[in-house]
Amino acid sequence: MTVITKQLLVSERSRILRRFCYLLAIVSLLAMDNSLKLTPNVNYTYNTLIYTFCNKQSIIIFTAFLIWLMFKLFQSITNSFWWGIGITTMVNLIWIIANRIKIGARNEPIMPSEMIMYQAYGSILKMVNPWLLVDAAIVIVGACLVIWQLNRKKPFTKLSIKARGFYIILAILVYGSALFWNHQGSPIQTVVQGMGVESYPFNQLSGARVNGPIIQFMSNVDVKVMNQPTGYSKATMNRLAKKYQLTAKQINQHRQNKLSDQTIILNLSESFATPNRVPGVHLKNDLIPYINRLKKKTTSGLMISSGYGGGTANMEYMSLTGLTLANFTPTLATPFTQLVPFAKQSWSINQLFKDSTAIHPYVGTFYSRPTVYREFGFDRFMYLGSRYKIRHQKKIDRSPYLSDATSYKNAEDQLKRNRKAQFISLVTMQNHFPYTEHFYNGASRYQASIRGANTDSETVAQYAMGIHYTDQAVQQFIKKINQMKQPITVVFYGDHLPGIYQNDMSRDGLKLHETDYFIYSNPAARQHGAKQFIHNSRIVSPNDFIAMMAEQTNSKVTPYIALLTKVYQDLPAVSLKTSNADANGYHSAPQFTNEQGKVVSQKHFSKSQKELWYDYLLVQYDMTAGHHYLGKSFLK
């Protein structure tokens, strides 16, 4: 073969490779539109394809370049053309399918913070249809055999050592540049924006549709915790410390207990929210009769969640710290994985207690919980596989998850182990998705009638059956703690609604973010001065619970809890905007919901409310992204 012929073959091969990368880029963009089904409307698909091709050329070319660079990286590592193209193809197809699955379940693409949870990959795979995994394994094995044969029978000229080194360094530099994509005014940001990349940290699903899954993922690598509030300084924070020391002194004049002398159980109930509040959904039977009766007898109401179909760890973070997700920058989607493990210091309510336990009857690796609880100072974390055993393990019918009764039995064990004051964070798992696998028998008694949406009534019935079992487990648990002599207060709340409702989020978004909660103090706690009801409790947010539990137990407050008390009493409940479905939806500004269940604008705040919100913003910045000017005396 002549030199000219070889050059022509290399040139033709390069042209085919570029076209292949271009085609993969188009496929990745189209796949992010979750309205495209396996049997799509032909005209809709055609119009979508034309729009993508005509209006997103710069994004397609940039994505194709990133895919090409991925190929050169793998080719350089393996020193094989066929293995380079094969691995690149498999990685991109797996990435596209994985993002598509996550969009179907959570209405958002895969985030960098989730990649950190590498210990949880095995558990995540258990939530995927096993036949899909089997098919994927067969395809991957078959592809590897084909690549091996091609590499053996039709080998291409190997790259030189210099070329391999060059492409590896180039790939590291280009992909590593994502660490600076969000640096305002930086040359790298200018180049990326010039390629057509649009910033969508506040709406991850829209960002994936506009930028594609690769670019949107890289856009979330550069994370900034919070923007520094105007006027932040050591002098300002010293002034605030003195201000809320005085506020705490005023509040404590009317309080008789110490919070650390109580036993507090903060119970996050997975996906707990009665379906009857969802517009167009009606169940003929009351699925939570006990909890509904209990809510009439104690502090209770609705909690505005900052997630839909997911976001458990975010609600947990807010309830443990008193800080709101809405004040963080849009790229900080999950504080448990993006903030706490790397923070110089982290505060959580359990630090006010001599003994604290976290209980989660599932694998513990999701959301980096072992690291987070260790940073928060918990004495023990009980999960499947931990040194602290989850006992009384029972499942209901065909459910793969341990029941809520199991969760409460383990909480009871801790109450018996330590009959003095303690803090318990209990995160249940029973009602986690999926709800389409017919786990439960007898769900027909909660068959839902659906109007105005394409929500599947059988799915709602299966979910409702799980909620009914939660109601029974809660009843038994309250009965047990009522018999105990130590003062115990339970904060029970649903973290988010399940992602099973097909309502229009722009119209029904607030309703789809309302979960049930109650705060209950047992007879022993009430004998020690705990209250049965507290005010301003109809509409709350997770960051209110610390102040609420202090008020319910009639406990004295620290300067920080004094601030949280003012925020709870004087400001509407705060959340991320509820008009979008994804867990990080429209994360550009906080949304406020008043006691009447109406969204109110911050523009209509009084002068004192605006000052209070600014104080809260300053304190949150100092505690997370600032210089930690507030000393331990402010927090403890």
Side-chain angles (χ1 to χ4, degrees), residues 83-112:
W83 281 111
I85 195 67
I87 295 173
T88 300
T89 303
M90 286 189 285
V91 167
N92 277 274
L93 290 179
I94 291 171
W95 185 248
I96 291 169
I97 293 170
N99 273 275
R100 180 80 183 198
I101 291 172
K102 174 127 189 262
I103 287 172
R106 289 274 301 274
N107 282 312
E108 68 175 8
I110 295 171
M111 303 288 288

Side-chain angles (χ1 to χ4, degrees), residues 21-321:
C21 293
Y22 185 84
L23 178 63
L24 266 181
I26 292 177
V27 170
S28 69
L29 277 166
L30 289 174
M32 295 304 99
D33 188 344
N34 61 350
S35 60
L36 291 174
K37 308 296 182 183
L38 293 176
T39 56
N41 179 284
V42 176
N43 291 331
Y44 177 79
T45 303
Y46 175 78
N47 292 334
T48 302
L49 182 61
I50 293 299
Y51 175 83
T52 301
F53 185 80
C54 295
N55 294 278
K56 298 184 179 180
Q57 276 300 306
S58 59
I59 287 293
I60 294 172
I61 292 172
F62 189 23
T63 303
F65 167 72
L66 291 172
I67 295 172
W68 173 85
L69 191 58
M70 190 184 302
F71 158 74
K72 298 306 290 185
L73 173 64
F74 290 131
Q75 183 189 27
S76 299
I77 293 173
T78 63
N79 205 10
S80 166
F81 174 87
W82 292 115
W83 281 111
I85 195 67
I87 295 173
T88 300
T89 303
M90 286 189 285
V91 167
N92 277 274
L93 290 179
I94 291 171
W95 185 248
I96 291 169
I97 293 170
N99 273 275
R100 180 80 183 198
I101 291 172
K102 174 127 189 262
I103 287 172
R106 289 274 301 274
N107 282 312
E108 68 175 8
I110 295 171
M111 303 288 288
S113 58
E114 294 164 320
M115 302 302 291
I116 299 173
M117 299 189 299
Y118 62 88
Q119 305 101 324
Y121 290 172
S123 301
I124 293 172
L125 290 175
K126 291 179 182 178
M127 298 179 185
V128 180
N129 188 318
W131 286 110
L132 178 62
L133 297 178
V134 171
D135 291 342
I138 293 172
V139 170
I140 290 172
V141 171
C144 289
L145 290 174
V146 170
I147 295 168
W148 179 74
Q149 285 288 343
L150 288 171
N151 193 59
R152 189 170 64 89
K153 294 183 176 181
K154 294 186 178 182
F156 287 100
T157 304
K158 296 183 181 297
L159 297 174
S160 66
I161 293 178
K162 288 184 178 179
R164 294 171 69 184
F166 169 77
Y167 286 124
I168 290 173
I169 292 172
L170 180 63
I172 292 172
L173 291 175
V174 172
Y175 281 102
S177 70
L179 294 168
F180 306 96
W181 282 17
N182 294 325
H183 282 37
Q184 293 295 321
S186 68
I188 290 178
Q189 186 188 58
T190 302
V191 171
V192 170
Q193 289 178 345
M195 295 300 298
V197 177
E198 298 184 40
S199 179
Y200 275 87
F202 49 84
N203 189 338
Q204 296 295 334
L205 179 56
S206 294
R209 289 173 174 172
V210 170
N211 298 321
I214 296 176
I215 291 175
Q216 185 62 18
F217 180 87
M218 295 177 68
S219 296
N220 284 295
V221 171
D222 182 16
V223 174
K224 185 178 183 181
V225 177
M226 280 184 70
N227 295 315
Q228 181 173 306
T230 304
Y232 174 73
S233 67
K234 186 174 183 178
T236 299
M237 300 316 295
N238 287 339
R239 178 182 59 80
L240 280 183
K242 293 178 181 178
K243 176 180 179 180
Y244 288 100
Q245 285 169 0
L246 180 59
T247 303
K249 187 176 181 179
Q250 294 170 342
I251 293 173
N252 292 340
Q253 289 178 352
H254 308 285
R255 304 278 180 92
Q256 66 185 51
N257 293 326
K258 290 180 64 176
L259 192 60
S260 58
D261 290 339
Q262 314 290 317
T263 289
I264 303 292
I265 302 173
L266 186 61
N267 177 200
L268 182 155
S269 184
E270 173 64 40
S271 300
F272 189 95
T274 180
N276 274 328
R277 276 195 306 273
V278 177
V281 177
H282 177 71
L283 277 70
K284 59 183 178 181
N285 294 314
D286 184 0
L287 69 158
I288 52 170
Y290 176 77
I291 290 178
N292 281 334
R293 290 196 303 270
L294 185 65
K295 288 179 69 175
K296 295 177 181 179
K297 300 176 181 179
T298 192
T299 302
S300 65
L302 301 177
M303 188 201 83
I304 308 300
S305 174
S306 288
Y308 173 73
T312 298
N314 289 341
M315 303 310 106
E316 190 180 356
Y317 176 84
M318 292 171 69
S319 64
L320 286 171
T321 65

